[in-house]
Structures are given as C-alpha cells and as structure tokens.
Amino acid sequence: MTATVELKNVTKTYGDKAVLDNVNLQVQEGEILALLGPNGSGKTTILKILAFIENPTDGEVTFQSEEVNFKKIEQTRLRSTLVFQKTVLFSTSVYNNVAYGLKVRKIPKNVISEEVKNALRLVRLEGFEKRPARKLSGGEQQRVAIARALVLKTKLLLLDEPTTNLDPKNAAIVEEVIATVNREMKTAIVIATHNMFQAKTLPTRIALVNDGRITEVGAPAEIFGKLSKNLASFAAVGNTFRGKASVTSEGTTMVDIGDGVEIEVTGQLQGEVSLFVNPQDILLSKTALKSSARNVFKGRIVEISDLGALVKLKVDVGKVFAVQITKRSFNEMGLNLNTEVYVAFKASSVQML
C-alpha cells in the first residue's frame, strides 16, 4: 500500500525540550491511523507536522513520495487539514462556517453550495445550514468543524482528540462520521486519542506514542491481543494492575494487587508483575455466577458510559474494573449506579508480564 505521508527520523524540540524523538511513521492511503498515548506524549505535535503547520527540527517528511520543503509550504499545506481538539467556529451560520475555506479558494458559488450540502450530509447535520454555529451543542459544533475540513477534500484529515468532552451520544455520532468519511471518500485519517475503547474499534492501525516516541505500530487486534509493556504503561488503560505474584500448589499464580483483591492467573511467575484483563472477557451478573471462572468478585457500579449498542461500566470490587456489555443486557438486568454486581473472568483470560 502507498504511503500518503511519511515521517523519517523526525525530531522536534522547543528550546532545550525534545517533544518528538526520532519518530518514524507512515500514514497509508485510505487508512484510519490512531495515535494512541497519554496526554503530553507528543500526539498533537505529530499532527501539526503532518498538517505542515509545524516544521521538524530534524528529519524528513515526504508527502505522496515527494520530500516536503518547509520553506515553501503553501501549496502542500492545502492538501492536509487539521481539526483541533477545541473547536473554534466563526460567529455566523453553519453554512458560512463550512463554506469558508472554499470561498477563500475562490470556488464558484454553485459548487460551494453542493459541497457544503454533501459535507453536512456526511456529518448528519442536514438542514442546519442557517443555524448560528456557536449556539449548537458541543458535539454538533465538532461535527461542523469536521464538515468544514471535509469540503476541502484534502488527501489527509487529521483529528486531535475528536470526542474529548463530548457526551456518549455525540461521541458515537462523531466516530460514525469518521468511519463513513473514510469509507465513502477514501480519505486517509489520523486521529490522536487516549481513548482505549475508541482505539480498539475505529482505526485500521494503531501507533503507540509515549514520551515523544513511537513505541509500537500494528493492527488493533495485534496491539490489544497481547499485553504490550508499552500499552500497559499508559495510565488510561483500564484493568491494568501491578501486584506481587506467587505460584500456587496447583501450578497457577496468585497475584495480590492490593486492597484485598487477589487474581488467579494461568502460568507461573514470581515477584512483581503487571496484569491486564480485557473488559470483553469479564462476565457480569447480579448474582454469583456458577461457572469455571477462577476469579469472581462482588462489587458495585461506580460509572456508566453509553457507547451506543454497548455500555461500559466501572465496577469497584476493592479495585476498579472496566466491564463492557451490550445495552440489551444492561437494560434486562436493570443496572444503575451503585447496583451490586458480580464480575467473573477465567484465569486464562488474564494476561501477565
């Protein structure tokens, strides 16, 4: 597959501080690439370089196989667009906001009208043309910002934490918009995020970013299918614990993760270890489950997040576990905040380092 843009040994410093350190990254044609990492890891700086609004201190950037000259960047900059985390809209109508970039490029009015209509359809804001943009909800404003980028039909669309601070409904719509745009327009999209659930379901590939470096690149199934030390180091990862391991007489391992919680794991390790339990591998019930699961804990629901067809729960059993169930199961069980529940998972479902 051909690369739309590539960073080769890119370093970026501000004064004495290195924000990016020898970054190598390809964004392939038509893919969705997620830059996944904690706040301050360098994700936004990578986006700014890909948008050609920041130049690297060292290294090379190629766009469609041609080296980018950051001293003559005006034409190249027109081929990439960045939607920032904090949406900034003009104090005018939705139509004028979305049409702005096309007017600057002196596109004919009839073409602008058609392009704005198509972009608003893609972001599910048909009929919003005359509404004041700044009076829309946060999620609607974010979708206007994405539409404003889409009408430019650039080869590369860059999104910085596109669903941060949005309610679950609008976040789900924005994610659906991203998938639709990628599918219908074949646009290469790069998303900076620290949202683990988003990174598992939306992108084609994931690049883990930490301390200004790309530590790992792969398909979501590769990244999440094993407990990567790089992934486990992110504070945002749910169900990642540190504890003291000791081998049992049955040949398994018990790991004391503190607060009265011990987890049984297949395999044998001694000493300090890291554990990861995939939220999808955890069974949830209002009564104690009769199953082969070796790990069963009683707790209460302390957080609920609506993810559309799925619901993410946080259950406090002494330690907080993230659990993912279908909305149908959530409704059938009559769950709510502070509901007492049991979580259960097999020893073989626990990944251990």
Side-chain angles (χ1 to χ4, degrees):
M1 189 175 288
T2 307
T4 296
V5 64
E6 183 174 2
L7 306 183
K8 300 178 181 179
N9 303 315
V10 165
T11 296
K12 180 65 178 178
T13 59
Y14 295 101
D16 296 331
K17 183 178 181 181
V19 181
L20 297 180
D21 182 10
N22 199 41
V23 168
N24 290 278
L25 182 68
Q26 282 191 350
V27 181
Q28 297 170 354
E29 287 184 353
E31 77 167 335
I32 300 177
L33 174 69
L35 303 175
L36 176 62
N39 292 332
S41 59
K43 302 188 303 294
T44 300
T45 303
I46 292 174
L47 290 184
K48 287 180 178 179
I49 291 174
L50 292 175
F52 314 114
I53 57 178
E54 289 275 6
N55 60 301
T57 306
D58 199 8
E60 180 183 317
V61 180
T62 62
F63 190 86
Q64 294 187 310
S65 301
E66 294 184 6
E67 184 176 352
V68 175
N69 182 352
F70 280 85
K71 293 180 180 179
K72 297 179 180 179
I73 202 65
E74 290 76 15
Q75 290 302 312
T76 306
R77 193 174 283 162
L78 296 176
R79 300 158 80 184
S80 177
T81 185
L82 170 58
V83 179
F84 287 96
Q85 180 178 340
K86 293 184 179 178
T87 303
V88 179
L89 299 179
F90 301 121
S91 184
T92 182
S93 68
V94 167
Y95 181 93
N96 287 337
N97 269 275
V98 177
Y100 176 77
L102 296 177
K103 290 178 180 178
V104 169
R105 297 182 185 198
K106 301 188 182 331
I107 303 298
K109 284 186 178 180
N110 63 319
V111 176
I112 291 176
S113 179
E114 189 65 24
E115 294 296 343
V116 171
K117 180 180 177 180
N118 289 337
L120 290 177
R121 174 188 61 81
L122 282 170
V123 301
R124 293 171 57 180
L125 289 176
E126 302 99 322
F128 277 61
E129 286 88 343
K130 295 181 180 179
R131 297 196 190 185
R134 290 186 177 178
K135 292 189 177 180
L136 301 179
S137 70
E140 290 167 345
Q141 288 191 34
Q142 183 72 311
R143 285 146 64 193
V144 171
I146 293 173
R148 187 167 61 187
L150 292 179
V151 293
L152 302 177
K153 293 187 176 179
T154 57
K155 293 289 184 181
L156 189 60
L157 175 61
L158 310 165
L159 304 171
D160 191 10
E161 301 282 0
T163 59
T164 296
N165 300 323
L166 298 187
D167 62 87
K169 179 181 177 182
N170 271 298
I173 291 173
V174 168
E175 290 177 1
E176 184 179 323
V177 165
I178 293 167
T180 300
V181 168
N182 176 255
R183 182 176 64 251
E184 293 191 11
M185 298 180 68
K186 309 301 181 186
T187 304
I189 300 175
V190 182
I191 305 168
T193 183
H194 62 267
N195 184 319
M196 305 296 293
F197 284 87
Q198 187 176 81
K200 287 179 69 174
T201 57
L202 191 58
T204 313
R205 290 190 304 145
I206 296 170
L208 299 183
V209 188
N210 207 6
D211 291 330
R213 297 184 178 186
I214 303 291
T215 57
E216 200 167 345
V217 180
E222 295 175 51
I223 300 295
F224 289 96
K226 62 184 188 300
L227 179 57
S228 156
K229 289 183 179 179
N230 300 313
L231 186 62
S233 70
F234 294 166
V237 177
N239 300 347
T240 299
F241 307 100
R242 291 285 296 172
K244 189 172 183 179
S246 56
V247 177
T248 70
S249 59
E250 296 178 348
T252 59
T253 297
M254 293 298 296
V255 183
D256 184 348
I257 62 172
D259 298 313
V261 181
E262 290 188 326
I263 296 177
E264 187 168 359
V265 189
T266 54
Q268 298 182 359
L269 279 178
Q270 291 280 147
E272 289 292 320
V273 297
S274 291
L275 302 180
F276 174 68
V277 187
N278 191 320
Q280 296 177 333
D281 291 334
I282 299 178
L283 300 175
L284 188 97
S285 175
K286 292 182 77 172
T287 57
L289 290 164
K290 294 181 179 179
S291 74
S292 59
R294 304 296 291 266
N295 297 288
V296 181
F297 305 101
K298 184 179 181 180
R300 63 184 182 87
I301 298 172
V302 294
E303 186 177 309
I304 301 171
S305 298
D306 188 340
L307 302 177
L310 300 173
V311 178
K312 184 179 77 172
L313 307 173
K314 289 189 177 178
V315 180
D316 188 347
V317 303
K319 294 291 187 179
V320 175
F321 282 83
V323 184
Q324 187 172 303
I325 62 173
T326 64
K327 183 170 285 185
R328 178 177 178 179
S329 295
F330 177 83
N331 291 331
E332 287 178 350
M333 285 191 280
L335 302 178
N336 212 326
L337 285 176
N338 294 314
T339 300
E340 287 193 346
V341 291
Y342 290 84
V343 297
F345 50 92
K346 296 180 179 180
S348 58
S349 295
V350 184
Q351 299 176 54
M352 178 171 62
L353 282 177

